[in-house]
Amino acid sequence: MIVRVAGAGTPVWFVVLLGVVGLVVGGLTGRRLADGGYRTEYDEAGALPRVWWWPAPVLALLWAFLGWRLGDYAGWAALPAFLLFAWLTVGLVWIDADVHRLPDGLVLPAYPALLVLLLVATLGLGDWRALWRALACLAVVFGVFFLMNLVSPASLGFGDVKLSGLIGLLLGWLGVQEAVTGVVAGFLVGGVVALVMLVAQRVGLRSHIAYGPSLLLGTFLALAFEYQLVA
């Protein structure tokens, strides 16, 4: 049978604390995004999103979830990298949904930032194989998405390719299974979203659908639904 792996046994007070801090940081992030400072003259965008407050509860839930899921793994050293990625997720989902673009100003600096944080996490874990595995998953996932972009650039933008490397790096640090699950989940979520929008006639067959949010959701699904096969 297949059983789902439980959380890390983090104290409830710490999970609540992360949720409260995430609520505050998410609120500040939403207010900053609401001014549209990320937009450029080349973006084809309409009115700014009016629901500016949603990053607050979303980041609160993500940070609380990560505190429960990872907890004191690697002596608490692993948590900062995942918290940073959750904050990045909120910003990228907002921007990609608005202007169908994943800005280099957020994605590219995240590479050295996550590398440094995962290096610290590796020192806390005491197992250098985790870092080498993360780098290998980064290369493989980035390579797969790069080839997909070459084959069908209209279906998968290069911003998604750059984002995929971050996902491979982060999930690959935990394990190859997590990286594979995250990528597959991202594809499945993207397919379901596209199908629903087509059925609802919100988009056409030639319309561009923001794929970044699906990739990011797939990452957290890989963390939420880590399964083990038990004989």
Side-chain angles (χ1 to χ4, degrees):
M1 64 177 177
I2 299 177
V3 297
R4 187 165 69 86
V5 179
T10 312
V12 174
W13 68 265
F14 186 75
V15 174
V16 173
L17 177 62
L18 277 178
V20 172
V21 176
L23 190 69
V24 174
V25 174
L28 295 174
T29 301
R31 293 299 294 268
R32 183 62 183 271
L33 290 168
D35 64 15
Y38 54 86
R39 289 185 171 188
T40 70
E41 59 180 317
Y42 304 106
D43 289 327
E44 297 179 2
L48 283 166
R50 289 180 292 179
V51 187
W52 63 266
W53 51 263
W54 69 260
V58 170
L59 190 62
L61 288 173
L62 290 179
W63 277 17
F65 161 72
L66 290 172
W68 168 80
R69 191 70 183 86
L70 296 173
D72 61 354
Y73 185 60
W76 299 96
L79 195 54
F82 289 84
L83 295 181
L84 173 62
F85 186 83
W87 173 82
L88 187 69
T89 292
V90 170
L92 291 178
V93 167
W94 177 297
I95 296 171
D96 200 16
D98 181 28
V99 297
H100 300 293
R101 179 171 55 85
L102 296 170
D104 289 345
L106 282 178
V107 175
L108 297 184
Y111 275 91
L114 285 180
L115 276 172
V116 170
L117 291 176
L118 289 178
L119 174 61
V120 174
T122 301
L123 294 173
L125 185 64
D127 185 359
W128 285 94
R129 291 176 299 179
L131 186 59
W132 298 124
R133 182 176 61 238
L135 293 173
C137 287
L138 184 161
V140 171
V141 173
F142 184 92
V144 169
F145 276 71
F146 182 78
L147 291 175
M148 291 174 60
N149 173 259
L150 287 179
V151 172
S152 181
S155 302
L156 189 73
F158 200 70
D160 298 319
V161 177
K162 287 177 280 191
L163 175 61
S164 72
L166 289 178
I167 294 172
L169 176 68
L170 191 75
L171 293 180
W173 189 84
L174 292 174
V176 174
Q177 175 182 328
E178 285 79 1
V180 173
T181 302
V183 171
V184 172
F187 279 123
L188 292 177
V189 172
V192 171
V193 170
L195 180 60
V196 170
M197 295 182 73
L198 282 170
V199 171
Q201 297 184 343
R202 297 290 299 275
V203 297
L205 291 175
R206 296 177 179 269
S207 300
H208 177 80
I209 299 175
Y211 192 55
S214 298
L215 287 176
L216 293 163
L217 179 57
T219 302
F220 287 94
L221 287 176
L223 293 171
F225 299 99
E226 181 186 352
Y227 289 91
Q228 287 182 340
L229 184 62
V230 179

